[in-house]
Amino acid sequence: MSFSLHRDPIVVRAPGRVNLLGEHTDYTGGLVLPMAIPFYTTARVSALNESQYVFRSAQFEGEYAEPVGGSATRYKAWHDYPVGVLRQLQERGVAPPSFLLELSGNVPLGAGLSSSASVEVASCLAMLALSGQALPANELALLCQRAENDFVGSPCGIMDQFVITAAHAGHALLISTRDLQFEHVPMNTGGLREISVVICNSHVKHSIAAGAYGERRKQLEVGQAVMRERFASLRDLGDATLEQLQACEASMSPESFKRCRHIITENARVRQAREAMLAGDAQALGKLMVAAHTSERDDFECSCEEIDFLVDTAIGLRGCFGARLTGGGFGGCTVNLVAREAVTEFCETLKDAYRTRFDVSAETYVCEAVDGALAEQERQA
Ligand code: GLA
């Protein structure tokens, strides 16, 4: 269908993200340490003369249109992400004028690199800009998370939306997900200068809307409730110690116990990772990543055969300081710390081994940490 546009489009973009450390800690008040990566969703929004909101995507078939003031609910389609954001904006009293929103991008889909949050943040910034409004980073991220939780129906935490909004180039972002306090942690101190972050896409599709993520989340919440009943001063698992968990072992299922153990040890690893990064100690950071993988595999049970193979192979290769599953899990990507001078050989050897073992071509992406959507918008203003 064609529409009449009445001013120049506004174009904004939001990156994807990779998580260095702190997995599944972001919905029980824990710590995460992700960075934004140079894959982007671009949102192009034009004001329309017709009284409609129209959504298009270069990556998906079909166009979605609704009258301004419409209140349709979930379609289980790609446009649920931007429409969910629009609903959240409407709830805040933001009423964008009629628009055509066109999305395009290259964040790998279903790979654990946050294509969904990237679409949400780009769409949100575009609709806000068209409405002549702005939001601070934490409100913007929380709004996008609510769109995903309430409209799309994925029970995700806050990590992805927050880092995609608030990251700074050259830095990882340490986020305390309980209160959204954050710190930009430089990635160029000491030994880290010689290191590249290499992402390896297993091409095993991961979908966090599917049951396993929600199931893990419930097991954790049950464990957390048991602990809080016993230790009244605990706000959430972010405060809990292994000793406290041991004391509650008999009162929770073996699954809840293991899930909680992952969270408690993972929060400790994130704290240590911050220290390692500030000290420029790539070796220590790499070791923490390998320990995190063991915990994801054995305690959180969110890995899979292909990912375990990629991690085990990677840590035996020259120049590799550490490797682990990144993101929601059950497939997706690994994140690897690799000496710059060994990166080409590392990527080729890893891909060859994967192809030989599974007859599938993995992809590798060598990524520097880029600006989040707000810093990028400011730079362009
Ligand atoms: C997905 C979710 C995040 C986080 C990770 C696991 O990416 O969107 O909120 O829970 O899984 O760390």
Side-chain angles (χ1 to χ4, degrees):
M1 229 192 277
S2 68
F3 297 94
S4 45
L5 312 173
H6 77 90
R7 26 172 155 119
D8 288 343
I10 295 168
V11 182
V12 295
R13 63 177 195 168
R17 70 98 185 89
V18 69
N19 191 14
L20 296 174
L21 215 68
E23 220 65 85
H24 291 278
T25 45
D26 70 337
Y27 43 87
T28 45
L31 302 170
V32 291
L33 189 58
M35 66 183 223
I37 54 173
F39 288 95
Y40 291 94
T41 300
T42 299
R44 185 186 155 92
V45 69
S46 327
L48 283 184
N49 287 325
E50 293 79 3
S51 177
Q52 285 197 72
Y53 295 132
V54 184
F55 299 84
R56 285 184 193 153
S57 164
Q59 286 158 300
F60 296 96
E61 293 277 300
E63 158 180 299
Y64 170 74
E66 65 174 35
V68 168
S71 58
T73 53
R74 172 153 74 123
Y75 282 83
K76 297 199 172 168
W78 66 267
H79 46 78
D80 285 343
Y81 294 90
V83 175
V85 169
L86 172 61
R87 290 289 176 278
Q88 289 298 329
L89 286 169
Q90 288 167 327
E91 265 182 39
R92 282 185 74 102
V94 178
S98 309
F99 63 69
L100 165 65
L101 179 74
E102 296 170 290
L103 296 167
S104 59
N106 63 357
V107 186
L109 302 176
L113 301 178
S114 275
S115 53
S116 315
S118 175
V119 163
E120 290 152 15
V121 172
S123 302
C124 191
L125 282 172
M127 292 183 223
L128 280 168
L130 188 73
S131 314
Q133 303 212 24
L135 284 177
N138 56 352
E139 285 181 39
L140 201 149
L142 285 166
L143 184 148
C144 290
Q145 183 200 15
R146 277 200 303 277
E148 187 153 343
N149 290 165
D150 299 351
F151 196 85
V152 178
S154 285
C156 66
I158 187 64
M159 166 172 67
D160 305 345
Q161 293 79 3
F162 199 86
V163 63
I164 285 170
T165 303
H168 280 178
H171 295 72
L173 188 66
L174 175 68
I175 310 165
S176 160
T177 63
R178 181 191 294 135
D179 50 16
L180 298 187
Q181 296 289 316
F182 61 92
E183 176 185 346
H184 296 283
V185 185
M187 297 191 64
N188 64 353
T189 310
L192 294 184
R193 248 179 249 131
E194 309 305 321
I195 294 294
S196 291
V197 173
V198 178
I199 297 168
C200 182
N201 187 347
S202 69
H203 287 296
V204 177
K205 283 285 168 216
H206 110 132
S207 162
I208 71 158
Y213 183 98
E215 185 191 71
R216 296 293 181 285
R217 188 168 173 152
K218 279 204 196 92
Q219 291 164 337
L220 263 186
E221 282 164 359
V222 170
Q224 177 172 262
V226 169
M227 291 191 72
R228 289 186 59 199
E229 210 175 292
R230 173 84 180 261
F231 298 102
S233 63
L234 281 188
R235 285 169 294 182
D236 48 42
L237 281 178
D239 286 337
T241 64
L242 279 180
E243 292 68 37
Q244 289 171 323
L245 177 63
Q246 300 288 359
C248 298
E249 184 168 7
S251 320
M252 63 177 81
S253 70
E255 287 74 30
S256 281
F257 179 78
K258 284 202 288 184
R259 309 305 181 238
C260 291
R261 185 165 61 191
H262 166 75
I263 299 303
I264 294 169
T265 57
E266 186 78 346
N267 281 323
R269 281 186 289 273
V270 177
R271 284 191 194 92
Q272 291 163 25
R274 171 184 177 274
E275 298 303 314
M277 288 180 73
L278 293 177
D281 188 343
Q283 211 119 23
L285 183 60
K287 277 199 186 131
L288 290 164
M289 288 168 67
V290 175
H293 185 74
T294 306
S295 180
E296 291 179 278
R297 186 191 62 203
D298 300 341
D299 273 355
F300 213 73
E301 295 179 283
C302 62
S303 189
C304 63
E305 193 191 348
E306 293 86 344
I307 293 286
D308 290 342
F309 176 85
L310 284 172
V311 169
D312 291 344
T313 307
I315 56 185
L317 295 179
R318 191 178 75 81
C320 182
F321 287 85
R324 67 172 201 90
L325 162 67
T326 188
F330 312 102
C333 290
T334 61
V335 58
N336 307 268
L337 276 197
V338 184
R340 268 186 218 285
E341 52 80 23
V343 160
T344 310
E345 173 193 315
F346 173 87
C347 293
E348 290 317 310
T349 316
L350 188 60
K351 285 189 285 192
D352 282 350
Y354 192 69
R355 198 175 305 109
T356 306
R357 173 71 177 76
F358 295 105
D359 201 19
V360 176
S361 299
E363 271 177 288
T364 47
Y365 321 118
V366 184
C367 290
E368 75 273 25
V370 298
D371 273 335
L374 283 183
E376 167 137 344
Q377 212 180 27
E378 270 166 32
R379 219 169 358 93
Q380 279 162 3

